[in-house]
Amino acid sequence: MSNNSSQIGITLSALHRRPTMKDVAEAAGVALKTVSRVVNGETTVAPDTLERVQEAIRRLGYRRNEGARELRQGRTQAIGLVVRDIADPFFAAIGRAVEHRAEEDELVVMIGSSHDDPARERQVALGFTARRPNGLILAPIAKRQDYLLPDIAEGLAICAVDRPAQGIACDAVLSDNAAGIRLAVEHLLHHGHRRIGYLGDDPAVFTARERVAGFRATMAGHDVPVNEHEVRLGSPGPDFVAAALRTMFDPSDPVTALVTGNNRITAEVLKHLAGRPEQPAVVAFDDLELAELLRPGLTVIAQDPVAIGDAAMDLLAKRLADPTREPRELRIPVRLIPRGSGEAPPTN
């Protein structure tokens, strides 16, 4: 123990409360203003005084009151993240990327799920903005996000992910949905398929519209006709998938391959295909956990959630530095991972 530490007569156990800068000043035998200078990293403190104050801080376990400092600055050095479901591996990976970047910048991350409920989205987002974060990253579900206009007017930086926001001007980071479906279709065409079915989400969903448009455009670009019974869109669920597959596998005119538009649809499709004597080729948009352990392994179009989270944090930083800059929309590339299911040849 140093000689300086022996001069410190106050300990945390003696205080029975959170120590303050005043306690540190008393313990170190210096003025309160001197402690403030040390805490805020100013370089005008003499070396021996600096050592004495730092020893007092260590002994007492003092921590700067970030809440009071942030109230003075008007923001709470935090980032809000509202996603559809934090348990979804895609959004969990975005969350991890945001947390990693926030840790580097000494920011706290508040994370909440909307559970595909517009009212819940609004409740969570406004609950976060009421705490005055520096920025908000939002995976939009509601038809409009103009409930955030007052916060934007007060300087809140907002970035949408997965889908663009509506009713507000803000940055957005999206996957290249149409390009991903193009990769899937061209992969199946390359392996000899011409009867390719598509199962996608409700067309009211932005990503669903982009992906089915990519499917139709790619088929047309290769002069492959699309029969309407081969394209099915609806809310993911066992009833929708079962009905769609019955139509697509009509014995008189069955498809030989499938493209699935998201991981929830893919999971239902795999359940319904289990045990079929003849398996169609399948390429799924979105990777699934343990997809490589299936037999055959599942061929997927993989998004890059880490890149999405990183890009969203970059855009928030640029927005905070220049609130008047024009909103940007970034498209993050996707990639095809062949594992077997998408390489099967036509069976009829």
Side-chain angles (χ1 to χ4, degrees):
M1 182 179 296
S2 70
N3 292 333
N4 286 337
S5 64
S6 65
Q7 302 172 14
I8 300 172
I10 299 177
T11 64
L12 184 57
S13 60
L15 287 172
H16 296 294
R17 57 176 170 79
R18 181 172 177 168
T20 66
M21 281 200 294
K22 183 178 179 181
D23 297 322
V24 174
E26 181 181 342
V30 299
L32 181 61
K33 192 171 184 180
T34 301
V35 177
S36 178
R37 287 172 178 163
V38 172
V39 169
N40 289 296
E42 297 183 22
T43 59
T44 57
V45 181
D48 61 334
T49 303
L50 174 64
E51 182 182 352
R52 199 158 71 247
V53 172
Q54 289 175 336
E55 176 66 17
I57 288 173
R58 285 191 294 271
R59 170 65 71 87
L60 298 178
Y62 168 79
R63 290 185 299 163
R64 179 167 60 179
N65 188 336
E66 296 291 345
R69 181 176 69 88
E70 289 157 359
L71 284 173
R72 291 193 296 270
Q73 294 178 341
R75 291 288 169 190
T76 55
Q77 302 304 303
I79 297 294
L81 174 63
V82 184
V83 297
R84 294 169 61 189
D85 185 354
I86 196 60
D88 184 306
F90 173 72
F91 290 112
I94 290 177
R96 286 194 297 270
V98 169
E99 283 186 317
H100 179 73
R101 288 288 300 276
E103 183 179 359
E104 292 177 350
D105 296 333
E106 298 184 343
L107 298 171
V108 174
V109 180
M110 304 178 290
I111 303 179
S113 301
S114 66
H115 303 302
D116 283 340
D117 181 347
R120 172 71 178 167
E121 173 201 302
R122 179 186 179 114
Q123 178 188 21
V124 175
L126 291 180
F128 286 169
T129 61
R131 289 162 173 78
R132 305 287 291 167
N134 293 54
L136 179 69
I137 298 173
L138 173 69
I141 291 297
K143 291 182 179 180
R144 296 178 64 83
Q145 284 70 44
D146 46 8
Y147 58 85
L148 291 169
L149 284 173
D151 294 290
I152 294 173
E154 292 181 0
L156 178 68
I158 297 178
C159 183
V161 293
D162 190 46
R163 308 172 184 177
Q166 303 295 323
I168 59 174
C170 72
D171 298 308
V173 184
L174 318 174
S175 290
D176 198 339
N177 295 295
I181 296 297
R182 183 177 68 249
L183 286 174
V185 172
E186 290 180 344
H187 188 71
L188 292 169
L189 292 172
H190 175 74
H191 284 85
H193 296 275
R194 291 297 180 270
R195 301 300 309 280
I196 302 173
Y198 181 83
L199 281 82
D201 207 338
D202 188 323
V205 176
F206 170 82
T207 50
R209 294 195 301 274
E210 285 210 325
R211 291 170 193 175
V212 72
F215 176 80
R216 293 184 183 279
T218 305
M219 294 286 278
H222 288 271
D223 296 321
V224 179
V226 175
N227 295 323
E228 286 311 304
H229 79 272
E230 297 171 354
V231 177
R232 284 289 180 266
L233 304 177
S235 298
D239 293 340
F240 160 68
V241 170
L245 293 180
R246 281 196 299 270
T247 301
M248 291 183 179
F249 293 124
D250 186 303
S252 65
D253 199 17
V255 301
T256 64
L258 292 172
V259 176
T260 55
N262 64 36
N263 54 14
R264 289 178 294 173
I265 290 175
T266 302
E268 290 296 334
V269 166
L270 294 177
K271 291 177 188 176
H272 283 276
L273 293 182
R276 280 181 58 92
E278 293 185 355
Q279 292 285 323
V282 177
V283 180
F285 196 105
D286 257 353
D287 208 352
L288 291 180
E289 289 185 324
L290 308 180
E292 70 276 9
L293 300 182
L294 298 173
R295 292 293 178 268
L298 183 65
T299 296
V300 301
I301 303 299
Q303 302 186 79
D304 192 343
V306 172
I308 291 174
D310 281 342
M313 290 294 284
D314 285 339
L315 289 177
L316 283 186
K318 291 175 181 176
R319 174 67 52 194
L320 289 167
D322 181 9
T324 63
R325 62 188 290 276
E326 286 296 315
R328 292 188 62 191
E329 179 180 287
L330 299 182
R331 292 280 178 165
I332 304 300
V334 298
R335 63 192 179 101
L336 184 140
I337 304 177
R339 297 191 179 115
S341 70
E343 294 70 60
T347 57
N348 53 44

